[in-house]
Amino acid sequence: MHELAFPLLVGLILVALAFDYLNGLHDAANSIATVVATRLLSPVAAVGFAAFFNFAAYFLTVAFPSLHKVAETIGKGLIDQDIITPAVIFGALGGAMAWNIITWLRGIPSSSSHALVGGLIGAGVAHSGMDAVKWAGLNKTLLAIVLSPMLGMVLAMLIMLLSSWALRGATAGGAERSFRAMHIVSSAAYSLSHGLNDAQKTMGIITVLLYSTGRLSGPFEVPHWVAIACYIAIAMGTMTGGWRIIETMGSRITKLSQHQGFSASTAGSIVIFLASIMGIPVSTTHTITGSIIGAGVARRASAVRWGVAGNVVIAWIITIPASALMGAGFYLLTRLF
């Protein structure tokens, strides 16, 4: 157990909630890019819509407590829980937030999830060396970096094909109305899955902080007040929006129709729900990008702006090492005081 004055504990929890808020702001584009790009909803209505379903994920976890496995992975599945200190938590949050701000200002849709993973790994290694890393959990997360966008892309293409076949006899106007209705439902499902997976990363950080300071004991379990606070924080961040990233996600990669928007958000929600069930802190950014590309390719390969997509991939590759270096740096700052 590590001693930490109560005001400092409260301050560190507020920093974690600030990261959660920034996560929502940074990743708002993931939830609403397709409905904004297709003009299904106005930007203001879209962020309110997404924020509502981000928070609604809390009630889903109340009904199905097993959906909190992502918080367990972050809290005790990447770094040995016994070596985590408040300084490690500060380093992880500092590194993740710094990288998020840099990419947000430049309009780069990098992953908040992997920024936190990188920050946690960097701070943990700076504190206790490579032995602190739980490679099984880290390898599972790294594998998801590759698989989640690929699976999203394949599913989006398959959904495009199946839905085209299902409505083959409909008129153009009838098909458009059907896809508009299905798109709004699929977007709600995607926002729900986004809140479910992403808010849990901060829950895991706060919960392991409480265990490390002796405020919690026994089996690893997220307190209800922590869950509610994290869902509120990410929903408020989504309400703020990340407009430059929305432009990249919703229109610069490929132009979307209602049909493609429905296919992309449906594919993305399936991948993220599956990841949440398995306890994998998947990148919602990676997933929806792959799904949007898949929906674009299903129309024609030339519809995708591959140069923009390539820049996004580069951001994916450097996020974990960059945020790990920053996490180690923020941790080392605590050694100066």
Side-chain angles (χ1 to χ4, degrees):
M1 185 180 73
H2 303 277
E3 294 293 334
L4 186 67
F6 184 73
L8 291 178
L9 175 65
V10 172
L12 200 48
I13 290 173
L14 290 176
V15 171
L17 292 175
F19 167 78
D20 203 25
Y21 171 85
L22 188 61
N23 188 348
L25 183 150
H26 188 273
D27 288 2
N30 301 342
S31 296
I32 67 175
T34 62
V35 291
V36 172
T38 57
R39 294 182 172 84
L40 183 60
L41 294 175
S42 70
V44 174
V47 293
F49 177 86
F52 173 82
F53 284 102
N54 278 178
F55 180 74
Y58 167 73
F59 300 101
L60 190 62
T61 61
V62 170
F64 304 99
S66 62
L67 290 176
H68 269 165
K69 289 181 180 179
V70 173
E72 294 181 15
T73 298
I74 292 293
K76 63 177 186 177
L78 298 173
I79 294 291
D80 187 350
Q81 182 180 345
D82 294 333
I83 68 96
I84 290 180
T85 67
V88 171
I89 297 297
F90 175 78
L93 292 171
M97 291 175 72
W99 182 249
N100 271 358
I101 291 171
I102 291 170
T103 54
W104 173 60
L105 289 175
R106 297 186 63 84
I108 301 170
S110 65
S111 169
S112 297
S113 305
H114 293 137
L116 183 60
V117 169
L120 186 59
I121 295 297
V125 169
H127 177 65
S128 292
M130 297 299 291
D131 290 341
V133 179
K134 287 192 171 181
W135 293 103
L138 179 59
N139 289 339
K140 181 172 65 174
T141 301
L142 294 176
L143 184 62
I145 292 177
V146 178
L147 292 183
S148 61
M150 291 177 61
L151 185 56
M153 183 173 67
V154 171
L155 279 176
M157 294 173 67
L158 182 61
I159 292 167
M160 283 281 290
L161 176 64
L162 292 176
S163 54
S164 296
W165 178 83
L167 293 177
R168 64 192 184 282
T171 63
E176 178 72 6
R177 287 190 296 271
S178 296
F179 283 127
R180 287 177 67 89
M182 291 190 291
H183 188 188
I184 198 74
V185 172
S186 65
S187 181
Y190 188 83
S191 294
L192 189 69
S193 69
H194 169 241
L196 175 66
N197 198 280
D198 272 17
Q200 288 192 61
K201 289 130 187 179
T202 307
M203 291 180 214
I205 288 290
I206 295 176
T207 302
V208 76
L209 172 64
L210 295 173
Y211 274 99
S212 71
T213 55
R215 264 71 180 191
L216 291 176
S217 59
F220 190 94
E221 186 175 350
V222 178
H224 279 293
W225 69 266
V226 172
I228 292 172
C230 290
Y231 282 117
I232 290 174
I234 198 169
M236 290 178 64
T238 299
M239 284 289 290
T240 308
W243 305 113
R244 295 185 66 184
I245 299 175
I246 289 168
E247 180 187 2
T248 299
M249 299 292 287
S251 60
R252 289 183 61 201
I253 292 176
T254 186
K255 297 293 184 183
L256 294 174
S257 65
Q258 299 296 345
H259 186 188
Q260 291 169 306
F262 155 71
S263 301
S265 52
T266 300
S269 62
I270 291 172
V271 173
I272 297 171
F273 274 125
L274 288 174
S276 298
I277 291 170
M278 294 186 288
I280 301 173
V282 72
S283 168
T284 54
T285 306
H286 294 192
T287 304
I288 195 62
T289 302
S291 300
I292 289 173
I293 290 173
V297 169
R299 184 173 62 184
R300 65 181 189 276
S302 60
V304 176
R305 295 183 177 93
W306 293 104
V308 175
N311 291 337
V312 173
V313 171
I314 292 172
W316 296 349
I317 294 171
I318 66 175
T319 288
I320 286 184
S323 56
L325 287 173
M326 291 182 178
F330 275 94
Y331 169 81
L332 293 174
L333 280 178
T334 68
R335 303 295 88 194
L336 300 177
F337 302 98

